[in-house]
C-alpha cells in the first residue's frame, strides 16, 4: 500500500519504490487512530442513534483479540498493539478515498467561441 495521504505524483522516489506508509509521523498516527474509531462507530456494535444503520441492527467484529487490542490501544505506546496497528492500516487502505483529496471535474462546461476577424465580417471558427 502506498501512502493514502499523498497523491502518487507527490511521493518521493523511495516511497514509490518501496511503498508503505511511515508510522512515525504524527499525522499518520492521528489518521490511523481516527480510521479505527470511525470503523468502530460505523460497523461494530449497536447504533442507538440510527445514523449508520437501523437501531435494531447489530454490527459485528468477528475477531475478539482485535477488539480487546482496540480497547487497550494507546496511541503514545503502540509497540504492544500489533493487532490495532495492522487492522488500522487495513482500514486506512479501504478508506483511502477519505484520506486522498482528489480533484473533481466541474459539471459546468463553458466554451468560448473563436472568431476569424479577416475581411468585413467576422466568422465563427468551428
Amino acid at each position: 500500500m502506498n501512502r493514502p495521504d499523498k497523491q502518487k505524483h507527490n511521493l518521493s522516489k523511495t516511497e514509490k519504490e518501496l511503498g508503505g506508509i511511515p508510522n512515525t509521523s504524527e499525522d499518520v498516527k492521528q489518521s490511523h487512530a481516527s480510521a479505527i474509531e470511525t470503523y468502530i462507530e460505523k460497523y461494530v456494535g449497536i447504533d442507538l442513534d440510527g445514523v449508520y444503520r437501523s437501531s435494531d441492527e447489530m454490527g459485528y467484529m468477528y475477531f475478539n483479540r482485535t477488539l480487546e487490542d482496540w480497547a487497550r490501544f494507546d496511541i503514545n505506546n503502540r509497540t504492544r498493539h500489533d493487532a490495532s496497528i495492522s487492522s488500522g492500516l487495513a482500514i486506512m487502505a479501504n478508506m483511502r478515498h477519505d484520506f486522498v483529496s482528489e480533484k473533481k471535474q466541474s459539471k459546468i462546461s463553458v466554451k468560448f467561441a473563436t472568431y476569424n476577424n479577416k475581411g468585413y465580417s467576422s466568422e465563427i471558427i468551428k
Side-chain angles (χ1 to χ4, degrees):
M1 175 176 106
N2 284 328
R3 294 185 64 159
D5 59 336
K6 283 187 175 181
Q7 290 185 348
K8 191 169 185 164
H9 66 277
N10 290 333
L11 295 174
S12 70
K13 182 180 177 185
T14 307
E15 289 172 336
K16 287 178 186 175
E17 203 172 291
L18 300 176
I21 183 168
N23 266 334
T24 56
S25 166
E26 194 60 37
D27 290 338
V28 173
K29 286 180 186 179
Q30 292 298 326
S31 296
H32 182 265
S34 175
I36 292 173
E37 185 178 327
T38 302
Y39 182 84
I40 291 169
E41 265 183 33
K42 286 184 177 182
Y43 302 111
V44 179
I46 298 174
D47 185 8
L48 296 175
D49 298 330
V51 175
Y52 299 110
R53 53 188 179 278
S54 63
S55 59
D56 60 340
E57 188 179 349
M58 179 72 147
Y60 295 102
M61 175 59 177
Y62 296 99
F63 304 104
N64 286 332
R65 282 192 266 169
T66 303
L67 277 172
E68 291 167 1
D69 200 59
W70 283 348
R72 291 189 307 268
F73 182 63
D74 179 14
I75 195 169
N76 297 318
N77 185 12
R78 302 173 315 141
T79 56
R80 308 197 79 171
H81 302 285
D82 289 338
S84 293
I85 298 298
S86 60
S87 62
L89 290 173
I91 291 167
M92 285 176 73
N94 285 325
M95 296 171 52
R96 180 183 172 98
H97 61 278
D98 292 343
F99 295 100
V100 178
S101 60
E102 297 176 7
K103 286 187 175 180
K104 294 182 180 178
Q105 289 185 347
S106 175
K107 293 181 181 180
I108 300 172
S109 176
V110 178
K111 295 183 180 182
F112 294 99
T114 54
Y115 293 88
N116 180 0
N117 292 322
K118 292 182 181 176
Y120 291 108
S121 61
S122 299
E123 292 180 8
I124 199 164
I125 299 172
K126 294 182 183 183

PDB file of all heavy atoms in Angstrom, residues 79-104:
ATOM      1  N   THR A  79       3.687  -0.103  20.627  1.00  0.00           N
ATOM      2  CA  THR A  79       4.510  -1.295  20.356  1.00  0.00           C
ATOM      3  C   THR A  79       3.835  -2.590  20.768  1.00  0.00           C
ATOM      4  O   THR A  79       4.106  -3.631  20.185  1.00  0.00           O
ATOM      5  CB  THR A  79       5.865  -1.190  21.063  1.00  0.00           C
ATOM      6  OG1 THR A  79       5.648  -0.977  22.461  1.00  0.00           O
ATOM      7  CG2 THR A  79       6.696  -0.063  20.502  1.00  0.00           C
ATOM      8  N   ARG A  80       2.961  -2.572  21.745  1.00  0.00           N
ATOM      9  CA  ARG A  80       2.318  -3.798  22.217  1.00  0.00           C
ATOM     10  C   ARG A  80       0.997  -4.082  21.521  1.00  0.00           C
ATOM     11  O   ARG A  80       0.298  -5.019  21.887  1.00  0.00           O
ATOM     12  CB  ARG A  80       2.084  -3.696  23.716  1.00  0.00           C
ATOM     13  CG  ARG A  80       3.361  -3.320  24.470  1.00  0.00           C
ATOM     14  CD  ARG A  80       3.215  -3.613  25.874  1.00  0.00           C
ATOM     15  NE  ARG A  80       3.443  -5.049  25.936  1.00  0.00           N
ATOM     16  CZ  ARG A  80       3.574  -5.741  27.030  1.00  0.00           C
ATOM     17  NH1 ARG A  80       3.464  -5.171  28.173  1.00  0.00           N
ATOM     18  NH2 ARG A  80       3.789  -7.037  27.009  1.00  0.00           N
ATOM     19  N   HIS A  81       0.635  -3.278  20.529  1.00  0.00           N
ATOM     20  CA  HIS A  81      -0.688  -3.399  19.921  1.00  0.00           C
ATOM     21  C   HIS A  81      -0.589  -3.725  18.435  1.00  0.00           C
ATOM     22  O   HIS A  81      -1.016  -2.952  17.587  1.00  0.00           O
ATOM     23  CB  HIS A  81      -1.466  -2.100  20.135  1.00  0.00           C
ATOM     24  CG  HIS A  81      -1.620  -1.728  21.570  1.00  0.00           C
ATOM     25  ND1 HIS A  81      -2.494  -2.365  22.410  1.00  0.00           N
ATOM     26  CD2 HIS A  81      -0.982  -0.799  22.327  1.00  0.00           C
ATOM     27  CE1 HIS A  81      -2.402  -1.842  23.605  1.00  0.00           C
ATOM     28  NE2 HIS A  81      -1.488  -0.889  23.586  1.00  0.00           N
ATOM     29  N   ASP A  82      -0.034  -4.887  18.121  1.00  0.00           N
ATOM     30  CA  ASP A  82       0.141  -5.280  16.723  1.00  0.00           C
ATOM     31  C   ASP A  82      -1.189  -5.428  15.985  1.00  0.00           C
ATOM     32  O   ASP A  82      -1.301  -5.066  14.816  1.00  0.00           O
ATOM     33  CB  ASP A  82       0.922  -6.591  16.623  1.00  0.00           C
ATOM     34  CG  ASP A  82       2.384  -6.419  16.989  1.00  0.00           C
ATOM     35  OD1 ASP A  82       2.880  -5.279  16.906  1.00  0.00           O
ATOM     36  OD2 ASP A  82       3.027  -7.418  17.342  1.00  0.00           O
ATOM     37  N   ALA A  83      -2.196  -5.971  16.659  1.00  0.00           N
ATOM     38  CA  ALA A  83      -3.498  -6.157  16.008  1.00  0.00           C
ATOM     39  C   ALA A  83      -4.119  -4.807  15.648  1.00  0.00           C
ATOM     40  O   ALA A  83      -4.713  -4.648  14.578  1.00  0.00           O
ATOM     41  CB  ALA A  83      -4.436  -6.955  16.909  1.00  0.00           C
ATOM     42  N   SER A  84      -3.963  -3.826  16.521  1.00  0.00           N
ATOM     43  CA  SER A  84      -4.504  -2.496  16.245  1.00  0.00           C
ATOM     44  C   SER A  84      -3.760  -1.828  15.097  1.00  0.00           C
ATOM     45  O   SER A  84      -4.373  -1.178  14.249  1.00  0.00           O
ATOM     46  CB  SER A  84      -4.419  -1.604  17.485  1.00  0.00           C
ATOM     47  OG  SER A  84      -5.263  -2.079  18.494  1.00  0.00           O
ATOM     48  N   ILE A  85      -2.445  -2.000  15.068  1.00  0.00           N
ATOM     49  CA  ILE A  85      -1.649  -1.395  14.003  1.00  0.00           C
ATOM     50  C   ILE A  85      -2.018  -2.009  12.659  1.00  0.00           C
ATOM     51  O   ILE A  85      -2.335  -1.295  11.703  1.00  0.00           O
ATOM     52  CB  ILE A  85      -0.134  -1.552  14.267  1.00  0.00           C
ATOM     53  CG1 ILE A  85       0.268  -0.830  15.549  1.00  0.00           C
ATOM     54  CG2 ILE A  85       0.675  -1.066  13.085  1.00  0.00           C
ATOM     55  CD1 ILE A  85       0.047   0.663  15.523  1.00  0.00           C
ATOM     56  N   SER A  86      -2.016  -3.324  12.569  1.00  0.00           N
ATOM     57  CA  SER A  86      -2.288  -3.978  11.277  1.00  0.00           C
ATOM     58  C   SER A  86      -3.730  -3.760  10.834  1.00  0.00           C
ATOM     59  O   SER A  86      -3.989  -3.472   9.661  1.00  0.00           O
ATOM     60  CB  SER A  86      -1.962  -5.467  11.358  1.00  0.00           C
ATOM     61  OG  SER A  86      -2.740  -6.090  12.361  1.00  0.00           O
ATOM     62  N   SER A  87      -4.683  -3.857  11.758  1.00  0.00           N
ATOM     63  CA  SER A  87      -6.076  -3.650  11.370  1.00  0.00           C
ATOM     64  C   SER A  87      -6.321  -2.188  10.993  1.00  0.00           C
ATOM     65  O   SER A  87      -7.068  -1.900  10.062  1.00  0.00           O
ATOM     66  CB  SER A  87      -7.030  -4.075  12.488  1.00  0.00           C
ATOM     67  OG  SER A  87      -6.820  -3.294  13.648  1.00  0.00           O
ATOM     68  N   GLY A  88      -5.677  -1.263  11.695  1.00  0.00           N
ATOM     69  CA  GLY A  88      -5.827   0.154  11.371  1.00  0.00           C
ATOM     70  C   GLY A  88      -5.282   0.490   9.999  1.00  0.00           C
ATOM     71  O   GLY A  88      -5.879   1.267   9.256  1.00  0.00           O
ATOM     72  N   LEU A  89      -4.142  -0.100   9.645  1.00  0.00           N
ATOM     73  CA  LEU A  89      -3.586   0.127   8.309  1.00  0.00           C
ATOM     74  C   LEU A  89      -4.491  -0.462   7.230  1.00  0.00           C
ATOM     75  O   LEU A  89      -4.668   0.127   6.162  1.00  0.00           O
ATOM     76  CB  LEU A  89      -2.171  -0.454   8.209  1.00  0.00           C
ATOM     77  CG  LEU A  89      -1.114   0.285   9.020  1.00  0.00           C
ATOM     78  CD1 LEU A  89       0.204  -0.480   8.990  1.00  0.00           C
ATOM     79  CD2 LEU A  89      -0.917   1.699   8.519  1.00  0.00           C
ATOM     80  N   ALA A  90      -5.076  -1.619   7.512  1.00  0.00           N
ATOM     81  CA  ALA A  90      -6.009  -2.225   6.556  1.00  0.00           C
ATOM     82  C   ALA A  90      -7.259  -1.351   6.394  1.00  0.00           C
ATOM     83  O   ALA A  90      -7.756  -1.164   5.278  1.00  0.00           O
ATOM     84  CB  ALA A  90      -6.401  -3.624   7.018  1.00  0.00           C
ATOM     85  N   ILE A  91      -7.740  -0.804   7.494  1.00  0.00           N
ATOM     86  CA  ILE A  91      -8.907   0.089   7.429  1.00  0.00           C
ATOM     87  C   ILE A  91      -8.565   1.338   6.634  1.00  0.00           C
ATOM     88  O   ILE A  91      -9.350   1.801   5.802  1.00  0.00           O
ATOM     89  CB  ILE A  91      -9.391   0.443   8.855  1.00  0.00           C
ATOM     90  CG1 ILE A  91      -9.993  -0.788   9.535  1.00  0.00           C
ATOM     91  CG2 ILE A  91     -10.399   1.583   8.822  1.00  0.00           C
ATOM     92  CD1 ILE A  91     -10.221  -0.629  11.027  1.00  0.00           C
ATOM     93  N   MET A  92      -7.364   1.899   6.868  1.00  0.00           N
ATOM     94  CA  MET A  92      -6.941   3.080   6.120  1.00  0.00           C
ATOM     95  C   MET A  92      -6.859   2.781   4.629  1.00  0.00           C
ATOM     96  O   MET A  92      -7.211   3.618   3.801  1.00  0.00           O
ATOM     97  CB  MET A  92      -5.587   3.569   6.625  1.00  0.00           C
ATOM     98  CG  MET A  92      -5.655   4.276   7.961  1.00  0.00           C
ATOM     99  SD  MET A  92      -4.040   4.726   8.580  1.00  0.00           S
ATOM    100  CE  MET A  92      -3.627   6.083   7.493  1.00  0.00           C
ATOM    101  N   ALA A  93      -6.390   1.580   4.274  1.00  0.00           N
ATOM    102  CA  ALA A  93      -6.309   1.212   2.859  1.00  0.00           C
ATOM    103  C   ALA A  93      -7.700   1.132   2.242  1.00  0.00           C
ATOM    104  O   ALA A  93      -7.913   1.562   1.108  1.00  0.00           O
ATOM    105  CB  ALA A  93      -5.589  -0.124   2.704  1.00  0.00           C
ATOM    106  N   ASN A  94      -8.655   0.603   2.990  1.00  0.00           N
ATOM    107  CA  ASN A  94     -10.024   0.503   2.489  1.00  0.00           C
ATOM    108  C   ASN A  94     -10.742   1.834   2.461  1.00  0.00           C
ATOM    109  O   ASN A  94     -11.668   2.032   1.682  1.00  0.00           O
ATOM    110  CB  ASN A  94     -10.831  -0.489   3.323  1.00  0.00           C
ATOM    111  CG  ASN A  94     -10.471  -1.909   3.006  1.00  0.00           C
ATOM    112  OD1 ASN A  94     -10.170  -2.234   1.874  1.00  0.00           O
ATOM    113  ND2 ASN A  94     -10.473  -2.757   4.017  1.00  0.00           N
ATOM    114  N   MET A  95     -10.330   2.762   3.316  1.00  0.00           N
ATOM    115  CA  MET A  95     -10.958   4.079   3.377  1.00  0.00           C
ATOM    116  C   MET A  95     -10.074   5.117   2.693  1.00  0.00           C
ATOM    117  O   MET A  95     -10.115   6.291   3.035  1.00  0.00           O
ATOM    118  CB  MET A  95     -11.205   4.474   4.835  1.00  0.00           C
ATOM    119  CG  MET A  95     -12.183   3.576   5.552  1.00  0.00           C
ATOM    120  SD  MET A  95     -12.290   3.877   7.331  1.00  0.00           S
ATOM    121  CE  MET A  95     -12.578   5.608   7.422  1.00  0.00           C
ATOM    122  N   ARG A  96      -9.294   4.696   1.724  1.00  0.00           N
ATOM    123  CA  ARG A  96      -8.335   5.568   1.052  1.00  0.00           C
ATOM    124  C   ARG A  96      -8.982   6.844   0.518  1.00  0.00           C
ATOM    125  O   ARG A  96      -8.411   7.921   0.572  1.00  0.00           O
ATOM    126  CB  ARG A  96      -7.674   4.802  -0.082  1.00  0.00           C
ATOM    127  CG  ARG A  96      -6.660   5.612  -0.843  1.00  0.00           C
ATOM    128  CD  ARG A  96      -6.079   4.835  -2.003  1.00  0.00           C
ATOM    129  NE  ARG A  96      -5.270   5.700  -2.804  1.00  0.00           N
ATOM    130  CZ  ARG A  96      -3.956   5.784  -2.724  1.00  0.00           C
ATOM    131  NH1 ARG A  96      -3.323   5.022  -1.876  1.00  0.00           N
ATOM    132  NH2 ARG A  96      -3.287   6.606  -3.479  1.00  0.00           N
ATOM    133  N   HIS A  97     -10.188   6.715   0.005  1.00  0.00           N
ATOM    134  CA  HIS A  97     -10.880   7.878  -0.560  1.00  0.00           C
ATOM    135  C   HIS A  97     -11.123   8.969   0.474  1.00  0.00           C
ATOM    136  O   HIS A  97     -11.273  10.129   0.131  1.00  0.00           O
ATOM    137  CB  HIS A  97     -12.200   7.448  -1.201  1.00  0.00           C
ATOM    138  CG  HIS A  97     -13.143   6.813  -0.221  1.00  0.00           C
ATOM    139  ND1 HIS A  97     -13.053   5.481   0.139  1.00  0.00           N
ATOM    140  CD2 HIS A  97     -14.160   7.323   0.496  1.00  0.00           C
ATOM    141  CE1 HIS A  97     -13.981   5.201   1.019  1.00  0.00           C
ATOM    142  NE2 HIS A  97     -14.676   6.295   1.259  1.00  0.00           N
ATOM    143  N   ASP A  98     -11.148   8.625   1.765  1.00  0.00           N
ATOM    144  CA  ASP A  98     -11.330   9.631   2.811  1.00  0.00           C
ATOM    145  C   ASP A  98     -10.060  10.427   3.090  1.00  0.00           C
ATOM    146  O   ASP A  98     -10.113  11.515   3.637  1.00  0.00           O
ATOM    147  CB  ASP A  98     -11.782   8.976   4.117  1.00  0.00           C
ATOM    148  CG  ASP A  98     -13.182   8.408   4.024  1.00  0.00           C
ATOM    149  OD1 ASP A  98     -13.916   8.797   3.085  1.00  0.00           O
ATOM    150  OD2 ASP A  98     -13.538   7.580   4.875  1.00  0.00           O
ATOM    151  N   PHE A  99      -8.893   9.846   2.736  1.00  0.00           N
ATOM    152  CA  PHE A  99      -7.626  10.479   3.059  1.00  0.00           C
ATOM    153  C   PHE A  99      -7.028  11.246   1.893  1.00  0.00           C
ATOM    154  O   PHE A  99      -6.269  12.167   2.088  1.00  0.00           O
ATOM    155  CB  PHE A  99      -6.614   9.432   3.533  1.00  0.00           C
ATOM    156  CG  PHE A  99      -7.029   8.785   4.816  1.00  0.00           C
ATOM    157  CD1 PHE A  99      -7.630   7.547   4.818  1.00  0.00           C
ATOM    158  CD2 PHE A  99      -6.846   9.429   6.019  1.00  0.00           C
ATOM    159  CE1 PHE A  99      -8.024   6.956   5.996  1.00  0.00           C
ATOM    160  CE2 PHE A  99      -7.243   8.851   7.204  1.00  0.00           C
ATOM    161  CZ  PHE A  99      -7.833   7.608   7.200  1.00  0.00           C
ATOM    162  N   VAL A 100      -7.349  10.851   0.674  1.00  0.00           N
ATOM    163  CA  VAL A 100      -6.776  11.490  -0.500  1.00  0.00           C
ATOM    164  C   VAL A 100      -7.786  12.473  -1.064  1.00  0.00           C
ATOM    165  O   VAL A 100      -8.918  12.116  -1.349  1.00  0.00           O
ATOM    166  CB  VAL A 100      -6.411  10.442  -1.586  1.00  0.00           C
ATOM    167  CG1 VAL A 100      -5.870  11.121  -2.818  1.00  0.00           C
ATOM    168  CG2 VAL A 100      -5.403   9.458  -1.036  1.00  0.00           C
ATOM    169  N   SER A 101      -7.365  13.720  -1.206  1.00  0.00           N
ATOM    170  CA  SER A 101      -8.257  14.704  -1.811  1.00  0.00           C
ATOM    171  C   SER A 101      -8.019  14.703  -3.316  1.00  0.00           C
ATOM    172  O   SER A 101      -6.949  15.051  -3.784  1.00  0.00           O
ATOM    173  CB  SER A 101      -8.005  16.088  -1.227  1.00  0.00           C
ATOM    174  OG  SER A 101      -6.682  16.475  -1.479  1.00  0.00           O
ATOM    175  N   GLU A 102      -8.995  14.253  -4.036  1.00  0.00           N
ATOM    176  CA  GLU A 102      -8.875  14.171  -5.486  1.00  0.00           C
ATOM    177  C   GLU A 102      -9.595  15.350  -6.116  1.00  0.00           C
ATOM    178  O   GLU A 102     -10.606  15.818  -5.610  1.00  0.00           O
ATOM    179  CB  GLU A 102      -9.477  12.863  -5.989  1.00  0.00           C
ATOM    180  CG  GLU A 102      -8.742  11.648  -5.465  1.00  0.00           C
ATOM    181  CD  GLU A 102      -9.412  10.358  -5.902  1.00  0.00           C
ATOM    182  OE1 GLU A 102     -10.360  10.418  -6.703  1.00  0.00           O
ATOM    183  OE2 GLU A 102      -8.982   9.307  -5.432  1.00  0.00           O
ATOM    184  N   LYS A 103      -9.050  15.820  -7.244  1.00  0.00           N
ATOM    185  CA  LYS A 103      -9.701  16.908  -7.962  1.00  0.00           C
ATOM    186  C   LYS A 103     -10.971  16.390  -8.610  1.00  0.00           C
ATOM    187  O   LYS A 103     -10.976  15.331  -9.216  1.00  0.00           O
ATOM    188  CB  LYS A 103      -8.773  17.472  -9.031  1.00  0.00           C
ATOM    189  CG  LYS A 103      -7.652  18.307  -8.491  1.00  0.00           C
ATOM    190  CD  LYS A 103      -6.898  18.943  -9.635  1.00  0.00           C
ATOM    191  CE  LYS A 103      -5.852  19.887  -9.126  1.00  0.00           C
ATOM    192  NZ  LYS A 103      -5.111  20.517 -10.222  1.00  0.00           N
ATOM    193  N   LYS A 104     -12.016  17.145  -8.455  1.00  0.00           N
ATOM    194  CA  LYS A 104     -13.273  16.787  -9.092  1.00  0.00           C
ATOM    195  C   LYS A 104     -13.476  17.703 -10.276  1.00  0.00           C
ATOM    196  O   LYS A 104     -13.240  18.893 -10.193  1.00  0.00           O
ATOM    197  CB  LYS A 104     -14.428  16.928  -8.103  1.00  0.00           C
ATOM    198  CG  LYS A 104     -14.351  15.948  -6.965  1.00  0.00           C
ATOM    199  CD  LYS A 104     -15.543  16.100  -6.064  1.00  0.00           C
ATOM    200  CE  LYS A 104     -15.453  15.106  -4.923  1.00  0.00           C
ATOM    201  NZ  LYS A 104     -16.563  15.247  -3.994  1.00  0.00           N
TER     202      LYS A 104
END
